Amino acid sequence: MSDSKAQFTIHFWGVRGSIPCPGAETVRYGGNTSCIEMRINDERLIFDGGTGLRELGQYLLDEGKPVQASLFFTHSHWDHIQGFPFFVPAFLPSNQFEVYGVIAPNGATIEQRLNDQMLHPNFPVPLQIMQAQLKFCDLSIGETVAIGDINVMNALLNHPGEAVGYRVEWNGLVAAYITDTEHFPDRLDENVLYLAQNADVMIYDCTYTDAEYHSEGSSKVGWGHSTWQEAVKLAKAANVKKLVVFHHDPLHDDDFMDDIGRKTAAEFPNSIVAREGMVLDLAELKALELANR
């Protein structure tokens, strides 16, 4: 960690779930759907391709350099793939992307699913118009992908149509990206605990509050998402260092998210609500943790 180039940073480009919700009431936290980027030394890992991916693409264009990155999808519900057709770096021949995803229950690969959303009548141009070098890689559930000295693990989550979460390990630092998962009523999810165990950062699906989830009039049981209260339970059980509230419901405006942030911090002080544009530096977080011991 003494190398001045050594870094493990997490950049949040889209933090919403379900559907983009731009507007005056979501300015502070953002309205784009799921997309985060991890920069680990010279490697760039991108997780999910929601509308936040378009924002990341514009940033990469402004850098003006050829891009090489690995793109990992948790699943292919719209809010996690709808930014891919608007990811301009994928249209430029100077760029290279390895695209990872598990095979869907119906047998469709990630390439097939990204291809299908760009077919008529859904989109004006096909995936094949993209001129970047695109290598599509089918992941097995539980498989570890090695990218240099970075290890990326995955595990199955409890979500309709299936989804996976990811655990990224490098140089003693760990980040867990666990979105689109529903907690179990009688136990903590063993797969989530595996992904999050001793993580420096756990990014977790907190779409609902417990009250919304169990609402008699509009129950969200079976919808495939979790709550900030369950996130706190998991963070404590897995010895997570920092909890990030993620995948915000589009109905939750900035004031509502402020309230969730206060309540989560009261139960788990080292927590934060994800905002578009937020950057976390894992090396700095680790140093701060060691200094406070």
Side-chain angles (χ1 to χ4, degrees):
M1 301 300 296
S2 60
D3 186 342
S4 61
K5 292 184 178 179
Q7 69 164 340
F8 189 152
T9 55
I10 304 175
H11 303 248
F12 292 79
W13 296 98
V15 301
R16 291 282 167 179
S18 303
I19 192 169
C21 55
E25 296 182 340
T26 59
V27 169
R28 285 188 279 116
Y29 288 91
N32 280 301
T33 60
S34 301
C35 180
I36 70 165
E37 173 198 13
M38 298 187 190
R39 300 178 196 172
I40 307 174
N41 276 356
D42 295 327
E43 300 290 348
R44 175 175 267 120
L45 281 60
I46 303 167
F47 292 86
D48 278 330
T51 57
L53 184 63
R54 190 194 73 85
E55 302 293 330
L56 172 56
Q58 295 305 117
Y59 170 84
L60 295 174
L61 290 177
D62 290 342
E63 280 195 326
K65 298 182 293 186
V67 180
Q68 185 172 348
S70 301
L71 177 53
F72 291 85
F73 284 92
T74 57
H75 63 313
S76 57
H77 286 164
W78 285 344
D79 52 329
H80 293 256
I81 64 172
Q82 61 197 162
F84 186 75
F86 301 92
F87 184 49
V88 176
F91 291 83
L92 304 179
S94 58
N95 299 328
Q96 301 178 45
F97 300 97
E98 291 190 344
V99 184
Y100 294 88
V102 299
I103 295 176
N106 68 355
T109 65
I110 189 62
E111 180 178 9
Q112 290 171 319
R113 285 173 279 159
L114 292 175
N115 177 79
D116 289 351
Q117 78 161 337
M118 294 178 68
L119 293 178
H120 294 306
N122 300 319
F123 202 71
V125 295
L127 182 147
Q128 289 71 26
I129 203 170
M130 290 180 166
Q131 295 300 302
Q133 298 179 51
L134 300 177
K135 180 182 178 182
F136 292 93
C137 307
D138 295 327
L139 279 176
S140 299
I141 293 173
E143 178 182 354
T144 296
V145 175
I147 301 172
D149 56 355
I150 305 164
N151 286 324
V152 183
M153 290 87 98
N154 75 76
L156 188 65
L157 301 177
N158 181 31
H159 191 66
E162 294 190 356
V164 295
Y166 290 99
R167 176 184 175 93
V168 181
E169 298 181 350
W170 174 78
N171 202 21
L173 299 171
V174 178
Y177 177 62
I178 306 166
T179 189
D180 287 56
T181 193
E182 184 167 357
H183 55 277
F184 295 112
D186 57 345
R187 68 189 190 280
L188 297 179
D189 189 327
E190 292 181 358
N191 286 351
V192 172
L193 290 174
Y194 158 72
L195 292 170
Q197 193 65 43
N198 298 318
D200 296 284
V201 171
M202 179 179 79
I203 302 162
Y204 185 79
D205 177 351
C206 301
T207 302
Y208 306 121
T209 65
D210 274 357
E212 290 171 325
Y213 182 79
H214 295 290
S215 169
E216 291 185 6
S218 58
S219 169
K220 301 302 187 294
V221 175
W223 286 37
H225 298 288
S226 194
T227 70
W228 68 262
Q229 290 96 333
E230 291 296 325
V232 168
K233 293 178 187 177
L234 288 160
K236 291 178 177 178
N239 191 36
V240 167
K241 307 304 184 296
K242 191 175 191 69
L243 167 64
V244 180
V245 173
F246 187 74
H247 203 270
H248 314 325
D249 190 299
L251 294 175
H252 292 173
D253 62 18
D254 288 332
D255 291 341
F256 196 99
M257 296 311 306
D258 285 344
D259 187 55
I260 287 178
R262 287 189 292 267
K263 290 176 178 176
T264 305
E267 299 294 329
F268 194 87
N270 198 7
S271 63
I272 191 169
V273 177
R275 299 172 183 254
E276 281 184 36
M278 186 173 79
V279 179
L280 298 179
D281 187 321
L282 268 65
E284 288 184 1
L285 293 175
K286 179 72 99 178
L288 183 61
E289 176 206 347
L290 294 174
N292 290 333
R293 283 184 178 176

